[in-house]
Amino acid sequence: MQWVKVLVGVVGAAALLGLGIILGHFAIPKEADVPAPSISQDLDLEILETVMQHLDANRIRENLRELSREPHLASSPRDEALVQLLLQHWQDPESGLDSAEAPAYEVLLSFPSQEQPNLVTVVSPTGRVLFSCLQSEQNLTGEQAGPDVVPPYAAYAPPGTPQGLLVYANRGTEEDFTNLQTQGIKLEGTIALTRYGGAGRGAKAVNAAKYGVAGVLVYTDPADINDGQSSANETFPNSWHLPPSGVERGSYFEYFGDPLTPYLPANPSSFRLDPDAAPGFPLIPTQPIGFDDAKILLCNLQGTVAPAAWQGALGCDYKLGPGFRSDGDFPADSQVNVSVHNRLELRNSSNVLGIIRGAVEPDRYVLYGNHRDSWVHGAVDPSSGTAVLLELSRVLGTLLKKGTWRPRRSIVFASWGAEEFGLIGSTEFTEEFFSKLQERTVAYINVDISVFANATLRAQGTPPVQGVIFAAAKQIPAPSPVGLSIYDNWIRYSNRSSSAYGLVPSLGSLGAGSDYAPFIHFLGISSMDIAYTYDRSKTSARIYPTYHTAFDTFGYVDKFVDPGFGSHQAVARTAGSVLLRLSDSLFLPLNVSDYGETLRSFLQAAQQNLGGLLEQHSISLGPLVTAVEKFEGAAAALDQHISALHKGTPDPLQVRMLNDQLMLLERTFLNPRAFPEERYYSHVLWAPRTGSVATFPGLANACSRAMNTGLGSAAWAEVQRQLSILVVALEGAAATLRPVADL
């Protein structure tokens, strides 16, 4: 790949530093009359302010208009046209970057059949169709009926035409299906109607199959997305709420990355699994429907009234079934037929990479990414993020071409392909360049949906990035209210009490909802996700209402989500400031001491909630306590070392050694054998937690599984193994923070 070749083209001046430390600079184009870089180059506050002032809300708005003008499903002609648009921007002679390219991977995607559209019907015992769910969303703005609008479907759900009595299974969790069995409801051969939320999309189908369910329907309840609003005059285009025909599309594949090439890049030469035997696909046909159709099905069910927590906002008492009531719209013995005709196809999907070479440390990379593909027009998801990406890269590219700035470290802008199918583009990239990225990447900044709504900043990330996000947010004015910084506004909406800093904004943790997942879970790279979002006190919506529907359009954003695009500009400034601080600061602004609070919190939760149980099985938390204390001590000592270097005149080798300690800390928490049942998850602090205790995930999950087993069982041996994995990881982290010469 060309970007790799570009990034390693350093000059021989680095050899003067000795010990193999590469601190030379790239050859800078002659037309960019940039002053010779100083080895002590640091963040230039004037450049930072210039960037902040030139990030233009109107340009972001026009970017979004163009990006969301047509549907751009992964690998579609419009998706590939946007690849060319990005290349054109990043190769522009006046505002482009040093280089840009669009490598492609051959990946397995899933599409509905055009010849045999998916269909959900109610049929009589004689096979007569009594009712059909809509096969497409209503064309409310003239944008929902084009030939490139993919009809609602569950990607990777298998083809099939199951038919059976309908049951209501709430959110499709294992607990929900167990509850139905406890009620005496026979689930074998039924069709389960579930609602979004509570469990992942794919998990609903996986759970249903375990109980013999033949097919699954999924809908979005207005109680979960619309604050109960459901009528046409209360929803889009009259408000931002999801209209009755709106259907959330999505991937139902259990893992992330290309389904056929786990841990290998999806290149032509790579080994591929047999699609018929590859794990992670739903086992039974599944189809999403709109809540208007769900209302007709659900409000005609017979049987026991569902628990209060299972009720919604469709205007009737939700019952469990199975089957329809005799006094309803359908004969009591009518059944639901789910006809799914999805197909799997190998398609080429492109990432687009834009490079700005570092002047001093070109072999250290700061990555900034967002995916490009959408289910339909995708104005919010993902084009709000791509619109910001284009504007930020334009401003930096202009400074670069004028010769007034070049970052200390290299910047890699990325537009990932096929994210909606399971983070495919970013995962394939991390698989192909695993070693290089682990050795050289400082941090990954993700801006996917840049604006969910326009109330406040929302940031997620690993603890070391907290400080740099806070520093950026304190210097940028909030779009509203006037007079507050983004930081001051953020703390009004979401905050926590920190033992080190007092009241601070809450930084969320990273799951697997966007392209940061392979960077943090697989590579152990400090990562973050930045967006603007809604006031949680004013809505219970789990996400913006038109998510993954044909109603997520430019007009929707322009009228309801962010009129004036002030919040888009605020995200551009925040993410841009973080990017410059990471790429230009002499000392990396990664505060490793902030991990201490997380470790201490996890430890206290384990002591309070699991300590007694562990003692009963002769398992001591003592080694874990000692390991946490070692980390805290090493982090405090490193902080003092950093302060001393700030006050003095450190030589380049000292700076490099320190920055490597800060950069590599996150990698010490990786153990690829900690969670053999998971794919790509190897970070012992942020892997998925299924146990109820908010502590170290491996320990919490192992204890949860061992809870009802006897002394000396294999489950309790796994608890001990997980505890040992944690201790070794934390001791390794502490060792990484100690003086480099201290072996």
Side-chain angles (χ1 to χ4, degrees), residues 75-231:
S75 77
S76 68
R78 177 59 178 172
D79 181 38
E80 289 306 307
L82 292 183
V83 169
Q84 297 306 312
L85 182 146
L86 282 152
L87 287 173
Q88 178 184 344
H89 277 267
W90 290 347
Q91 293 170 347
D92 186 277
E94 295 184 354
S95 61
L97 312 179
D98 286 325
S99 63
E101 62 172 274
Y105 296 99
E106 189 178 35
V107 299
L108 188 73
L109 304 182
S110 167
F111 302 98
S113 170
Q114 293 181 329
E115 297 75 26
Q116 286 184 289
N118 296 346
L119 181 62
V120 176
T121 57
V122 177
V123 296
S124 71
T126 61
R128 184 167 62 93
V129 174
L130 304 174
F131 170 75
S132 297
C133 292
L134 291 177
Q135 292 177 286
S136 60
E137 291 150 307
Q138 288 187 316
N139 189 13
L140 300 179
T141 64
E143 300 163 290
Q144 290 77 42
D148 297 326
V149 175
V150 68
Y153 75 113
Y156 299 109
T161 56
Q163 181 171 308
L165 297 176
L166 186 70
V167 297
Y168 172 51
N170 192 30
R171 302 186 187 278
T173 65
E174 282 209 60
E175 183 182 358
D176 292 334
F177 285 108
T178 300
N179 191 314
L180 291 174
Q181 275 196 334
T182 302
Q183 299 266 357
I185 295 173
K186 182 182 178 182
L187 293 172
E188 289 80 4
T190 61
I191 304 298
L193 176 62
T194 65
R195 60 204 269 190
Y196 277 116
R201 298 185 197 97
K204 298 177 192 296
V206 170
N207 295 335
K210 291 178 182 177
Y211 290 82
V213 172
V216 175
L217 301 177
V218 190
Y219 80 100
T220 302
D221 198 288
D224 302 325
I225 203 77
N226 281 356
D227 298 314
Q229 306 298 307
S230 60
S231 66

Side-chain angles (χ1 to χ4, degrees), residues 22-86:
I22 304 172
L23 288 174
H25 62 85
F26 284 144
I28 298 173
K30 293 180 180 179
E31 64 270 22
D33 187 20
V34 184
S38 166
I39 207 74
S40 59
Q41 176 181 331
D42 205 347
L43 178 67
D44 186 328
L45 295 180
E46 289 187 8
I47 291 291
L48 178 60
E49 181 59 25
T50 297
V51 172
M52 296 299 101
Q53 293 302 319
H54 282 82
L55 290 167
D56 190 296
N58 287 326
R59 285 181 178 270
I60 296 173
R61 182 177 184 270
E62 291 310 307
N63 287 343
L64 184 63
R65 187 197 299 275
E66 175 60 23
L67 290 164
S68 60
R69 182 165 53 84
E70 298 175 32
H72 45 286
L73 189 65
S75 77
S76 68
R78 177 59 178 172
D79 181 38
E80 289 306 307
L82 292 183
V83 169
Q84 297 306 312
L85 182 146
L86 282 152

Side-chain angles (χ1 to χ4, degrees), residues 118-364:
N118 296 346
L119 181 62
V120 176
T121 57
V122 177
V123 296
S124 71
T126 61
R128 184 167 62 93
V129 174
L130 304 174
F131 170 75
S132 297
C133 292
L134 291 177
Q135 292 177 286
S136 60
E137 291 150 307
Q138 288 187 316
N139 189 13
L140 300 179
T141 64
E143 300 163 290
Q144 290 77 42
D148 297 326
V149 175
V150 68
Y153 75 113
Y156 299 109
T161 56
Q163 181 171 308
L165 297 176
L166 186 70
V167 297
Y168 172 51
N170 192 30
R171 302 186 187 278
T173 65
E174 282 209 60
E175 183 182 358
D176 292 334
F177 285 108
T178 300
N179 191 314
L180 291 174
Q181 275 196 334
T182 302
Q183 299 266 357
I185 295 173
K186 182 182 178 182
L187 293 172
E188 289 80 4
T190 61
I191 304 298
L193 176 62
T194 65
R195 60 204 269 190
Y196 277 116
R201 298 185 197 97
K204 298 177 192 296
V206 170
N207 295 335
K210 291 178 182 177
Y211 290 82
V213 172
V216 175
L217 301 177
V218 190
Y219 80 100
T220 302
D221 198 288
D224 302 325
I225 203 77
N226 281 356
D227 298 314
Q229 306 298 307
S230 60
S231 66
N233 65 346
E234 297 172 324
T235 58
F236 183 77
N238 299 305
S239 79
W240 88 318
H241 290 131
L242 179 69
S245 69
V247 184
E248 178 182 324
R249 298 149 180 82
S251 173
Y252 283 66
F253 181 56
E254 185 177 354
Y255 307 113
F256 51 87
D258 172 49
L260 301 186
T261 58
Y263 297 103
L264 297 171
N267 294 325
S269 62
S270 290
F271 169 78
R272 282 175 166 77
L273 301 173
D274 180 350
D276 294 332
F281 297 131
L283 297 176
I284 55 179
T286 303
Q287 176 68 17
I289 61 175
F291 69 73
D292 214 21
D293 288 331
K295 177 178 180 178
I296 292 172
L297 300 177
L298 188 49
C299 293
N300 276 287
L301 277 180
Q302 66 175 354
T304 305
V305 175
W310 292 31
Q311 298 296 323
L314 293 180
C316 65
D317 287 333
Y318 294 10
K319 295 183 179 179
L320 301 178
F324 297 113
R325 54 190 171 87
S326 57
D327 60 344
D329 296 335
F330 312 119
D333 50 0
S334 299
Q335 296 186 338
V336 171
N337 179 277
V338 181
S339 295
V340 174
H341 303 286
N342 297 342
R343 65 184 189 278
L344 297 172
E345 291 187 24
L346 280 175
R347 292 276 191 95
N348 285 331
S349 178
S350 302
N351 293 333
V352 189
L353 303 172
I355 316 298
I356 300 177
R357 299 189 303 271
V360 181
E361 298 182 79
D363 63 328
R364 290 294 178 261

Side-chain angles (χ1 to χ4, degrees), residues 1-8 101-105 261 263-267 270 349-355 363 365 367 412-414 416 424-442 518-519 522-525 667 670 680:
M1 180 180 285
Q2 291 300 312
W3 76 268
V4 175
K5 296 177 182 176
V6 170
L7 288 172
V8 298
E101 62 172 274
Y105 296 99
T261 58
Y263 297 103
L264 297 171
N267 294 325
S270 290
S349 178
S350 302
N351 293 333
V352 189
L353 303 172
I355 316 298
D363 63 328
Y365 317 147
L367 272 63
V412 181
F413 289 110
W416 309 118
I424 289 178
S426 56
T427 302
E428 300 314 298
F429 177 77
T430 59
E431 289 169 335
E432 183 165 14
F433 300 102
F434 178 89
S435 297
K436 186 175 294 291
L437 292 170
Q438 272 205 326
E439 291 166 0
R440 303 180 181 182
T441 304
V442 168
F519 290 95
F522 184 42
L523 298 185
I525 291 169
R667 321 288 200 268
L670 296 184
Y680 297 109

